[in-house]
Amino acid sequence: MDNIPKVKLGIIAVSRDCFVISLSERRRKAIVEQVKAAGGCISEVMHTVENETDMLSAVKEASDAGCNALVVLLGNFGPEIPETMIPRYFDGPIMYIASAEEADNNLISGRGDAYCGMLNCSYNLGLRHAKAFIPEEPICTAEEAAVRIAEFVPVARAILGLRSFKIFTFGPRPYDFFACNAPIKPLYDLGIEVQENSELDLLVSYKAHEGDPRIPDVVKDMAQELGSGNQYPDFLTRLAQYELTLLDWVEKNRGASEHVAFANKCWPAFPEQFGFEPCYVNSRLTARGIPVACEVDIYGALSEYIGACITGDAVTLLDINNTVPANLYQSEIQGKYNYQLSDTFMGFHCGNTPACKLNDGCKLNYQLIMNRLQEGGAEPNFTRGTLEGDIIPGDITFYRLQGTADARLTAYIAQGEVLPVAPHSFGGIGIFAIPEMGRFYRHVLVEKRYPHHGAVAFGHYGKALFSLFRYLGIGDIAFNQPKGMLYPSENPFA
């Protein structure tokens, strides 16, 4: 995917000077072998850290090797001061793990005491206000360490992506549709840049791309992607012109930022003035790792980009939209899937979900609601441009990072699935099932005043998202709590 950083990992072993240094070095080597055997890639830093001078040499070796993320291994108890100075001198995300003891016949000269050392490591990281990732089970064998490292990679990728990230916005949200508006100060707290622009800036740039010689190639690519769903072949020229407008805007305006996303106005003035709905183009850029959140949803764009970094795959942004009718639940879900009616809902948006995340038969269409509002329900013209289809069934994670009205950052994560059940509706839509969704809806989404947009990652990525949000310092991370685990606002007598 474009726009997603590449993680190049290095591993540094540390050793307390009163322990045998070869123990840490042997354990480091074993982990490197396990990572490579599992298909991973990691640079073995040969400088082992016993003191501050070693620390500087090890960090330099990692940096010279092009590493942008580190694993620090406590192969024995570890030197708590130099090992926790590494975050000060290495410019990238760092994970700390420690070695488990290997065998009962080697617990005298071969005992490392890293179980003890990790406690002092954590204490000293706190003293230094150093950000570091410590996994749920940080004490591990070489085989387990390879698994922990693989789990760290997507978290590191997201951290790296957000460190040089800019969100372009076009236009304010409609006055009577203000739900996703939120203070942007928390974005600056995360080091994210926001470049706010007028719809007029975008319109001027779009008109300047008329007749662009690259348009035919983009039209050809669109037609190939749409296949039999290309209902408006002559219409693709407008959309291709817009796609090039956004891509060129990135190159001319990214400035010091390496990675970008958009949060763009898409109604009510947009379709009539531009001559199309932008949804299909939004879907195509999102599939390439450049999210384009509709309705100027800045935190939606941020959430989508986080998901793209975590998954390395296309994501989408949907309305938590409507309930599943009881008769549809009874005929297609009840008794076939282990969900109550209240666990289900429909996730929908006009047509911004990438084609790769829609069932076969998706098609270029028009926005029914805008057509009714702006074209009086007549033969669609400028309300065309959506990508319609049912969302592919399978595991999903519904999540959002949000700035609150009082400028705090909060987040939610809920794992579930899209059911292989036809929604019988329009737009990009699917029937979602999340355990205890009814309670989650009331005591998280409603209670904590989240807007209606949620990001969707295709797979179960709650563990990585939770780890990332913790690393970012998000104190309030909600999830769909199981039955019997009450939310603070939940009435125990209900």
Side-chain angles (χ1 to χ4, degrees):
M1 295 181 77
D2 300 336
N3 199 43
I4 304 298
K6 302 292 188 294
V7 176
K8 185 167 183 182
L9 273 176
I11 182 168
I12 293 176
V14 302
S15 174
R16 199 172 190 92
D17 58 8
C18 58
F19 282 76
V20 179
I21 191 171
S22 60
L23 182 61
S24 276
E25 293 173 336
R26 177 174 60 79
R27 288 172 167 176
R28 178 191 67 209
K29 186 175 187 299
I31 290 172
V32 170
E33 290 173 353
Q34 288 294 326
V35 169
K36 292 181 176 178
C41 185
I42 192 166
S43 295
E44 184 177 7
V45 175
M46 304 310 294
H47 279 92
T48 302
V49 175
E50 290 187 303
N51 53 53
E52 291 182 36
T53 303
D54 293 333
M55 180 272 298
L56 292 172
S57 297
V59 168
K60 183 178 186 303
E61 183 183 340
S63 299
D64 289 348
C67 297
N68 58 10
L70 274 183
V71 177
V72 175
L73 170 70
L74 279 66
N76 57 41
F77 190 98
E80 58 198 64
I81 292 174
E83 72 192 14
T84 57
M85 293 176 71
I86 292 174
R88 183 187 302 173
Y89 294 94
F90 181 77
D91 188 25
I94 302 173
M95 177 173 76
Y96 283 79
I97 54 174
S99 292
E101 312 297 358
E102 291 111 339
D104 61 359
N105 62 357
N106 193 25
L107 288 177
I108 299 177
S109 61
R111 197 186 76 191
D113 296 359
Y115 192 75
C116 185
M118 179 56 77
L119 297 175
N120 283 20
C121 175
S122 174
Y123 180 81
N124 277 267
L125 286 169
L127 287 176
R128 299 178 187 283
H129 301 287
K131 274 196 171 182
F133 174 71
I134 300 176
E136 295 293 314
E137 297 176 326
I139 316 300
C140 44
T141 64
E143 295 86 351
E144 292 166 341
V147 175
R148 307 285 185 276
I149 290 168
E151 292 175 341
F152 174 56
V153 169
V155 177
R157 191 163 55 224
I159 293 166
L160 291 169
L162 294 179
R163 291 182 60 182
S164 184
F165 184 55
K166 177 186 281 188
I167 302 174
F168 299 111
T169 76
F170 286 102
R173 287 186 62 77
Y175 179 68
D176 60 349
F177 204 75
F178 212 52
C180 289
N181 186 68
I184 63 173
K185 181 188 178 298
L187 297 176
Y188 290 109
D189 292 340
L190 291 176
I192 295 169
E193 294 297 323
V194 181
Q195 180 179 319
E196 297 181 279
N197 309 278
S198 164
E199 287 173 279
L200 288 175
D201 297 322
L202 186 59
L203 184 59
V204 168
S205 183
Y206 173 72
K207 289 181 175 179
H209 281 76
E210 186 173 359
D212 190 302
R214 299 170 294 173
I215 288 175
D217 286 341
V218 179
V219 167
K220 182 179 178 182
D221 187 63
M222 288 178 167
Q224 185 175 0
E225 180 179 58
L226 290 166
S228 60
N230 186 9
Q231 297 195 122
Y232 309 116
D234 297 339
F235 190 71
L236 295 184
T237 299
R238 304 183 200 179
L239 300 178
Q241 181 178 332
Y242 182 62
E243 182 171 308
L244 291 168
T245 300
L246 292 181
L247 291 173
D248 285 353
W249 188 275
V250 168
E251 296 312 313
K252 291 177 181 177
N253 292 274
R254 70 163 70 244
S257 299
E258 294 181 49
H259 313 294
V260 300
F262 288 94
N264 295 352
K265 189 90 167 273
C266 49
W267 65 276
F270 187 101
E272 186 170 3
Q273 295 303 312
F274 282 78
F276 55 88
E277 292 283 3
C279 312
Y280 177 48
V281 173
N282 294 356
S283 81
R284 283 172 54 85
L285 267 64
T286 300
R288 293 169 59 172
I290 308 173
V292 186
C294 39
E295 299 172 334
V296 204
D297 181 3
I298 298 176
Y299 284 94
L302 170 60
S303 298
E304 283 190 279
Y305 182 70
I306 285 170
C309 287
I310 290 288
T311 66
D313 192 13
V315 296
T316 193
L317 187 73
L318 298 177
D319 289 355
I320 302 168
N321 198 69
N322 59 280
T323 58
V324 174
N327 68 327
L328 177 57
Y329 170 79
Q330 290 161 2
S331 64
E332 300 294 335
I333 300 172
Q334 190 173 32
K336 301 177 184 178
Y337 306 98
N338 190 27
Y339 295 107
Q340 304 175 71
L341 175 59
S342 59
D343 293 335
T344 65
F345 67 98
M346 292 195 191
F348 156 88
H349 229 287
C350 314
N352 62 320
T353 298
C356 60
K357 299 304 179 185
L358 299 175
N359 284 329
D360 293 341
C362 66
K363 59 187 178 182
L364 190 68
N365 212 345
Y366 66 96
Q367 218 290 348
L368 176 66
I369 299 170
M370 286 295 110
N371 175 260
R372 195 164 55 210
L373 176 68
Q374 296 187 300
E375 296 186 301
E379 184 71 19
N381 177 18
F382 58 78
T383 57
R384 292 177 291 172
T386 63
L387 183 65
E388 289 207 346
D390 292 352
I391 297 171
I392 58 172
D395 292 341
I396 57 90
T397 306
F398 228 106
Y399 66 99
R400 186 176 178 92
L401 179 59
Q402 176 68 17
T404 65
D406 56 352
R408 293 178 298 106
L409 284 169
T410 61
Y412 68 76
I413 306 166
Q415 293 186 157
E417 63 178 307
V418 177
L419 297 176
V421 176
H424 304 288
S425 193
F426 65 96
I429 192 167
I431 295 181
F432 287 72
I434 292 175
E436 298 296 321
M437 177 64 189
R439 296 171 56 241
F440 177 73
Y441 175 84
R442 172 60 185 87
H443 296 287
V444 173
L445 302 180
V446 173
E447 184 73 22
K448 298 189 176 186
R449 298 179 173 87
Y450 280 100
H452 62 298
H453 281 176
V456 178
F458 292 87
H460 282 170
Y461 294 99
K463 184 176 182 179
L465 285 165
F466 188 90
S467 295
L468 173 67
F469 293 155
R470 283 289 307 276
Y471 185 96
L472 295 177
I474 313 303
D476 182 354
I477 309 171
F479 63 96
N480 53 317
Q481 296 180 186
K483 186 176 294 186
M485 184 179 181
L486 295 180
Y487 294 98
S489 61
E490 192 167 4
N491 189 332
F493 303 101

